[in-house]
């Protein structure tokens, strides 16, 4: 059997899950901002804002099935989709949340691989394997396992984690927010960021909204901090960036407004240690303050555009500003002035990118 590749399958599931989470969260935010409520009785009159909130809530309810189905699909291809979705529905019904959905996806995916390898059927039944036999047997075996064996400790763990996070006070809240913020900013949208994002999204389903605010803040601190350090370096007339880096910063800032951290990668690639340390520290400070102040976000993504939907938008902006200033200050202290040779290499790189090779183009 192939290697388990647990990390690979989790990242695949996250890529499928994120559009659902973002769309559902924004629907809830728009509905809440327009005084919408979840529809309790569909036979009674309801408004458009009510419909938006309700649609977003329904979408959030699909998180566990989607992540379970995507993990099972990543492991076992199409035969894993239906059983994976069913494991996610079981996780929802027993209160195991996204953790139960992830575990169910892994269990059913690897179980299907075992079935495909070891279960042999007559030739006339081979066509039924992917459509009926595999989905039925895997759903039956792993479904019962989820209901009566695996699901129970997962529910306990989920409830314990939720209670712990909701009961944290003082310095513990700051430490948790700092760790989550540092993870979200560390690799600029890479695997560590995805782990922090998945953790925050899962807690949102359990009604814990503070980690989402930390994630959003920490994703914006790197581009904002780098931009502020560049502006200040111009004001104090201390060159910290090459022309190529400055052009990248001009792109990274608007991306940061939309909570897209990847715009910082070209700057970090030039001086990775200093940039990563500065961005991670700023995000940790901002994330710690956000968690300490009890800032919560009902929406998992959207950057500055969803700040009005938060419970404490002004405090969020203050925490973001402090984290940004920490990152900018660290960059101004740590980053050295680029040498003439480095500037020349950067300028040559820009010129090479701007050159267009027309030798292979024929004019008819």
């Amino acid at each position: 059997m192939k290697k388990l590749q647990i990390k690979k399958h989790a990242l695949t599931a996250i890529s499928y899950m994120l559009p659902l989470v973002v769309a559902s969260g924004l629907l809830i935010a728009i509905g809440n901002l327009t005084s919408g409520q979840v529809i309790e009785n569909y036979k009674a009159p309801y408004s458009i804002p009510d419909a938006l909130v309700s649609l977003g809530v329904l979408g959030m309810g699909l998180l566990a099935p989607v992540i379970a189905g995507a993990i099972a699909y990543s492991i076992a291809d199409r035969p894993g989709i239906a059983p994976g979705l069913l494991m996610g529905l079981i996780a929802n019904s027993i209160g195991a949340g996204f953790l139960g959905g992830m575990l169910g996806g892994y269990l059913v995916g690897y179980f299907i691989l075992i079935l495909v390898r070891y279960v042999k059927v007559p030739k006339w039944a081979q066509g039924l394997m992917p459509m009926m036999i595999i989905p039925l047997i895997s759903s039956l075996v792993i479904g019962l396992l989820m209901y009566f064996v695996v699901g129970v400790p997962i529910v306990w763990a989920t409830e314990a984690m939720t209670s712990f996070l909701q009961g944290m006070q003082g310095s513990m809240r700051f430490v948790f927010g700092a760790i989550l913020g540092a993870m979200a900013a560390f690799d600029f949208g890479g695997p560590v960021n995805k782990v922090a994002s998945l953790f925050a999204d899962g807690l949102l389903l359990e009604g814990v909204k503070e980690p989402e605010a930390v994630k959003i803040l920490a994703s914006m601190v790197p581009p904002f901090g780098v931009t502020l350090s560049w502006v200040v370096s111009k004001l104090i007339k201390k060159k910290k960036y090459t022309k190529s880096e400055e052009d990248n910063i001009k792109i990274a800032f608007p991306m940061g407004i939309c909570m897209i951290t990847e715009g910082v990668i070209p700057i970090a690639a030039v001086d990775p240690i200093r940039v990563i340390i500065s961005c991670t520290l700023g995000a940790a400070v901002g994330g710690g303050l956000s968690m300490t102040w009890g800032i919560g976000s009902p929406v998992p993504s959207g950057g500055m555009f969803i700040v009005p939907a938060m419970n404490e938008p002004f405090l969020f902006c203050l925490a973001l500003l402090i984290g940004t200033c920490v990152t900018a200050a660290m960059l101004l202290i740590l980053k050295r002035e680029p040498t003439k040779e480095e500037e020349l290499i950067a300028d040559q790189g820009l010129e090479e990118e701007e050159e267009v090779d027309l030798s292979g183009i024929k004019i008819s």
Side-chain angles (χ1 to χ4, degrees), residues 26 38 60 78 80 86 137 198 304 345:
L26 290 174
V38 177
M60 285 295 187
R78 283 187 296 176
L86 290 175
I137 295 177
L198 178 64
M304 294 302 296
I345 292 172

Side-chain angles (χ1 to χ4, degrees), residues 29 52 69 80 88 100 104 115 139 146-147 153 174 221 241-242 249 283-284 286-287 296 307 346:
L52 295 179
L115 288 179
S139 299
M146 285 285 291
Y147 269 122
F174 184 89
V221 162
Y241 299 97
T242 65
I249 290 171
V307 172

Side-chain angles (χ1 to χ4, degrees), residues 303-315:
M304 294 302 296
F305 298 101
I306 54 91
V307 172
M310 296 182 181
N311 63 335
E312 298 286 354
F314 295 109
L315 284 178

Side-chain angles (χ1 to χ4, degrees), residues 132-164:
M132 185 178 75
I133 298 173
I134 289 177
L136 175 61
I137 295 177
S138 58
S139 299
L140 180 65
V141 174
I142 306 301
L144 292 175
L145 197 66
M146 285 285 291
Y147 269 122
F148 296 105
V149 181
V150 178
V152 177
I154 293 294
V155 173
W156 290 345
T158 302
E159 291 177 350
M161 181 175 62
T162 303
S163 299
F164 172 73

Side-chain angles (χ1 to χ4, degrees), residues 17 56 59 72 81 90 92 106 126 152 163 183 201 206 228 250 254 261 266 298 309 320 334 343 361 363:
M17 178 198 70
I81 295 175
I90 293 173
N92 271 352
Y106 283 118
Q126 287 178 358
V152 177
S163 299
M183 290 178 64
D201 294 344
E206 306 301 325
L228 180 60
K250 294 173 186 176
T261 320
L320 176 61
L334 296 178
E343 288 192 53
I361 299 177
I363 301 175

Side-chain angles (χ1 to χ4, degrees), residues 281-354:
L281 183 59
V285 172
L289 291 174
S290 176
M291 195 73 191
T292 301
W293 293 339
I295 303 167
S297 173
V299 187
S301 185
M304 294 302 296
F305 298 101
I306 54 91
V307 172
M310 296 182 181
N311 63 335
E312 298 286 354
F314 295 109
L315 284 178
F316 175 85
C317 292
L318 179 59
L320 176 61
L321 176 62
I322 293 171
T324 298
C325 290
V326 170
T327 292
M330 291 295 296
L331 286 168
L332 290 169
I333 294 169
L334 296 178
K335 272 187 73 66
R336 57 179 175 76
E337 183 177 344
T339 63
K340 290 183 179 180
E341 183 180 356
E342 288 172 337
E343 288 192 53
L344 183 61
I345 292 172
D347 291 340
Q348 287 177 344
L350 280 176
E351 289 174 3
E352 289 175 3
E353 288 178 2
E354 289 171 358

